[in-house]
Amino acid sequence: MTKLIIIAWLLFCSHAYATNIFQLNSKSKNTDLTDIQPNHPQWNASSIYVAGDLVTHNNSLFIAAFWVKGIEPIENQPHWDGWIWVQNTVIEKWQANKVYQGGNLVKHGADYYLARYWNENNEPAPHSSWQKIKDLFYQTPDLPPEHPDDYKTLDGVDQNDNGIRDDYERYVYEKFDSPQLITFSLGAASTLQLIIDIEQGRIPNLDTEIGKQIILDMLNISYCVQYLQNSHPHFREPEVLYFNTIDRAYANRKSQNKISDYIAWDDGFHRSADQDCNILKKDIK
């Protein structure tokens, strides 16, 4: 309880008053971030940001993917560090029949979505090939209560409907004191859920390109864990925490075997996965 009060107090006192994409006019088709505010505030290491906050850093524009504090925005594709690198200042309205790559940001209705992997004609929706940015919106850490069905199925229970399984979410907040560990663990959840989605046949267009991205993402999580363990030696890998029943662990093994069937192994393939975690070496106070 003390931890929750402290985090809530920090959020109240330290939140950066940056422009937030969720406060913008929801009726417009596209969102031009430069027209809204040409000079967005500079990222501040001591400020707390929540999903949708816009900052600049090293001449690049970033959007907070979820609650984040003290982690420097860098120009990378993975968003487990809490930041989405905005490569085009115009966030376009989602279009049918258009191919989207993992990491693309679109607007659909009044919401904003990040592509989890390559997709075409998949309309943005929670628990799909798209991650709604506000799915990971933690302005206050109101934890979902335990439920008798938490461990009975692969999906478990998501009572607060934020895209993260409740038992995993509770564990992250209750066991980790570092905002760095909380941010990374919650951000990794959407990738880990993809493994469950594959096992349950929810990705009908699974192919080589999607398979490669998922494997690289899983490798990247492992590399990032190694960096985090430099300053937090007792940090447990999110994959172990997420696949926390026999059925979930078995689904993880079967799904990864299924993915590997699409990919001819390349000795250098894994090397592209360890380039985006250097920022996690820093110990966040």
Side-chain angles (χ1 to χ4, degrees), residues 28-158:
S28 60
K29 292 183 178 180
N30 299 331
T31 300
D32 190 333
L33 301 177
T34 56
D35 286 346
I36 298 161
Q37 183 176 333
N39 299 310
H40 295 283
Q42 289 287 326
W43 169 76
N44 188 311
S46 62
S47 294
I48 286 178
Y49 300 91
V50 296
D53 280 349
L54 288 157
V55 299
T56 57
H57 187 59
N58 292 334
N59 298 316
S60 289
L61 188 63
F62 297 88
I63 297 177
F66 41 85
W67 186 96
V68 58
K69 176 179 182 284
I71 298 179
E72 181 182 3
I74 59 176
E75 296 179 353
N76 63 356
Q77 290 301 324
H79 61 285
W80 306 304
D81 56 7
W83 296 102
I84 299 168
W85 175 32
V86 182
Q87 301 179 57
N88 184 344
T89 58
V90 176
I91 303 176
E92 297 182 347
K93 182 180 178 181
W94 175 80
Q95 302 175 48
N97 302 314
K98 181 174 180 178
V99 172
Y100 293 95
Q101 305 295 330
N104 284 166
L105 187 64
V106 301
K107 181 178 181 181
H108 187 54
D111 295 313
Y112 295 87
Y113 291 83
L114 188 73
R116 298 164 76 188
Y117 48 83
W118 182 99
N119 71 84
E120 182 180 12
N121 283 328
N122 289 345
E123 184 174 359
H127 306 283
S128 69
S129 56
W130 296 91
Q131 174 73 52
K132 189 165 73 170
I133 302 304
K134 222 167 184 178
D135 281 354
L136 297 175
F137 183 61
Y138 291 91
Q139 187 159 2
T140 58
D142 296 327
L143 301 182
E146 293 187 19
H147 191 280
D149 295 329
D150 275 335
Y151 303 97
K152 290 183 179 180
T153 64
L154 294 179
D155 284 327
V157 178
D158 182 13

Side-chain angles (χ1 to χ4, degrees), residues 3 21 131 264:
K3 185 189 298 183
I21 57 175
Q131 174 73 52

